[in-house]
């Protein structure tokens, strides 16, 4: 966009780009309304769903600018913040942020036979709080967290049996509070889709999801390439 354009001109330029992008996504004609496109896309696109109310208001503003002008001048001039919001929606819709590589990193995983002291050492050195537990085939069978370790320690303390040197991950598995409280997601998952998965599965489990584990296509047995926790997607959760 040219720097000498008015906010109304910038707004209409961005609006038309977004409207055309919506039309292409739906394979629809140019005669359908912006409101109709929002409704259709909000059923399948998490970014449109997130900004649905804003988009309806921006559509009303577009009508005021385009159809209620005098002497060729818009009677409604958008604020800078309004133009910025529209550009943000356009950018996020056209190039959505993916969980990978944003949350892609080497994940420390364990097996039931891994000594607990090995996990504690890694947690201290690399400052993480959760680790996937894999079976012999590399499938995720559980996620162990510092909360699980705390519950195990308290149980061992009550029974006067604490022995960190001989304890293995298998000893802690019975102390996992909510079983299979994680989700596998693919590297092509957007951060907004991840946020919706987190909300939906937390509601189904009636507890906050421990984490989402990233693999190439979100299937069991694939190499783990990242881990997503609530702290990392908090800014993408719907209000």
């Amino acid at each position: 966009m040219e720097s000498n354009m008015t906010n109304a001109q910038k707004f209409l330029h961005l609006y038309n780009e977004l409207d055309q992008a919506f039309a292409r996504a739906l394979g629809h004609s140019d005669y359908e309304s912006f409101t109709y496109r929002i409704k259709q896309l909000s059923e399948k696109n998490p970014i449109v769903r997130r900004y649905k109310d804003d988009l309806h208001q921006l559509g009303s503003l577009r009508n005021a600018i385009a159809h209620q002008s005098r002497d060729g001048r818009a009677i409604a001039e958008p604020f800078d913040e309004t133009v910025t919001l529209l550009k943000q929606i356009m950018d996020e819709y056209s190039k959505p942020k993916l969980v990978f590589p944003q949350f892609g990193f080497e994940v420390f995983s364990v097996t039931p036979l891994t000594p607990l002291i090995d996990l504690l050492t890694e947690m201290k050195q690399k400052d993480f709080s959760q680790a996937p537990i894999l079976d012999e085939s590399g499938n995720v069978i559980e996620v162990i967290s510092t909360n699980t370790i705390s519950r195990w320690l308290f149980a061992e303390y009550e029974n006067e049996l604490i022995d960190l040197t001989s304890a293995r991950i298998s000893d802690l598995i019975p102390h996992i509070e909510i079983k299979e409280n994680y989700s596998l997601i693919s590297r092509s998952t957007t951060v907004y889709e991840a946020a919706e998965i987190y909300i939906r599965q937390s509601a189904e489990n009636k507890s906050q999801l421990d984490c989402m584990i990233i693999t190439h296509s979100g299937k069991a047995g694939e190499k783990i390439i990242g881990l997503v926790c609530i702290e990392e997607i908090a800014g993408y959760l719907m209000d």
Side-chain angles (χ1 to χ4, degrees), residues 84-235:
T84 299
L85 172 61
L86 183 52
K87 186 177 187 309
Q88 176 183 330
I89 296 173
M90 180 65 198
D91 289 345
E92 293 187 19
Y93 178 78
S94 59
K95 295 180 180 179
K97 297 176 183 177
L98 304 181
V99 293
F100 188 88
Q102 183 170 353
F103 302 120
F105 50 86
E106 184 178 355
V107 177
F108 183 78
S109 59
V110 296
T111 72
L113 297 179
T114 301
L116 173 59
I117 195 67
D118 289 357
L119 174 59
L120 293 175
T121 301
E122 288 289 325
M123 284 182 161
K124 178 182 179 181
Q125 291 178 349
K126 299 180 180 178
D127 192 25
F128 63 89
S129 60
Q130 299 178 84
I133 306 175
L134 309 183
D135 64 14
E136 294 179 352
S137 300
N139 294 310
V140 179
I141 56 175
E142 270 301 348
V143 171
I144 191 165
S145 68
T146 51
N147 287 336
T148 304
I149 297 171
S150 297
R151 281 190 289 274
W152 174 82
L153 281 171
F154 186 73
E156 294 294 286
Y157 170 77
E158 283 190 317
N159 295 323
E160 299 181 351
L161 295 173
I162 295 179
D163 184 359
L164 292 178
T165 58
S166 64
R168 297 185 181 275
I169 298 302
S170 57
D171 298 320
L172 280 69
I173 291 177
H175 297 273
I176 295 174
E177 185 175 13
I178 300 176
K179 306 298 184 183
E180 299 182 4
N181 193 34
Y182 60 89
S183 177
L184 295 174
I185 59 176
S186 76
R187 62 187 295 160
S188 61
T189 303
T190 70
V191 291
Y192 291 105
E193 289 171 330
E196 291 188 345
I197 291 170
Y198 178 86
I199 292 172
R200 182 177 65 252
Q201 294 202 5
S202 293
E204 291 173 357
N205 294 353
K206 297 181 180 179
S207 176
Q208 288 190 352
L209 202 63
D210 286 337
C211 64
M212 287 171 283
I213 299 170
I214 308 171
T215 70
H216 179 71
S217 56
K219 295 180 180 178
E222 296 180 326
K223 180 182 178 181
I224 297 172
I225 57 177
L227 203 69
V228 184
C229 301
I230 176 59
E231 295 82 6
E232 293 154 336
I233 59 167

Side-chain angles (χ1 to χ4, degrees), residues 52-79:
K52 182 172 65 174
D53 292 341
D54 291 320
L55 286 166
H56 281 301
Q57 293 180 20
L58 292 170
S60 297
L61 177 57
R62 179 266 177 190
N63 292 336
I65 295 172
H67 301 307
Q68 299 180 22
S69 59
R70 297 176 182 175
D71 301 325
R73 299 178 60 186
I75 64 171
E77 190 74 17
F79 292 113

